[in-house]
Amino acid sequence: MSIVVDIDELADALRRHPTAYLLLSGEERPHVGEVLVSMREDVLVVERPGRTASRTVPDRPHVTLLLPPAEAGGYSLIVDGEAALVGEELRIEPSHAVLHRRPREGSPPSATGCGNDCQPLP
């Protein structure tokens, strides 16, 4: 389930999720790596993205950032976007974002209608 990104809300959500993983469509298999991500204006910026990203992003620019919850039972932030290498940075133009977790006993109904406990960015 994806929710259209509101850039202002995405910047706030990033501050609540201190760890980020970049998911790439690798050459032989998917690739996942921990990255440092920040936001500049309406673009997500990954500094020094690594060899695999530098090699694969030009041909496969669609990427996902997964930011796990800071607290047990919290929501993961999942951001999809299109990436481009610019010097030592990977710049990602976000296209969709969702706060996601599997349903728990007593979870409120999803505000988005997905089968899990998906919520639009607050």
Side-chain angles (χ1 to χ4, degrees):
M1 181 68 187
S2 296
I3 304 300
V4 176
V5 172
D6 179 323
I7 298 302
D8 295 330
E9 292 174 358
L10 181 56
D12 290 339
L14 282 174
R15 286 189 279 277
R16 294 190 302 271
H17 292 80
T19 304
Y21 296 94
L22 177 64
L23 288 77
L24 301 166
S25 176
E27 294 165 342
E28 296 177 19
R29 64 186 179 280
H31 181 80
V32 178
E34 186 176 1
V35 295
L36 226 123
V37 63
S38 61
M39 191 150 197
R40 286 193 214 137
E41 297 176 8
D42 60 351
V43 176
L44 297 160
V45 177
V46 173
E47 296 181 29
R48 297 180 302 281
R51 293 185 314 243
T52 302
S54 297
R55 197 172 53 248
T56 61
V57 163
D59 293 329
R60 292 180 289 284
H62 298 288
V63 301
T64 297
L65 286 167
L66 169 63
L67 295 92
E71 71 287 335
Y75 289 89
S76 292
L77 173 62
I78 303 169
V79 183
D80 297 321
E82 189 162 330
L85 289 165
V86 180
E88 296 285 316
E89 298 178 336
L90 182 68
R91 296 187 185 169
I92 303 168
E93 185 176 329
S95 57
H96 295 90
V98 65
L99 292 170
H100 176 83
R101 68 179 180 189
R102 64 179 174 75
R104 280 130 171 93
E105 191 170 323
S107 289
S110 171
T112 64
C114 80
N116 290 299
D117 187 359
C118 304
Q119 302 295 326
L121 297 177

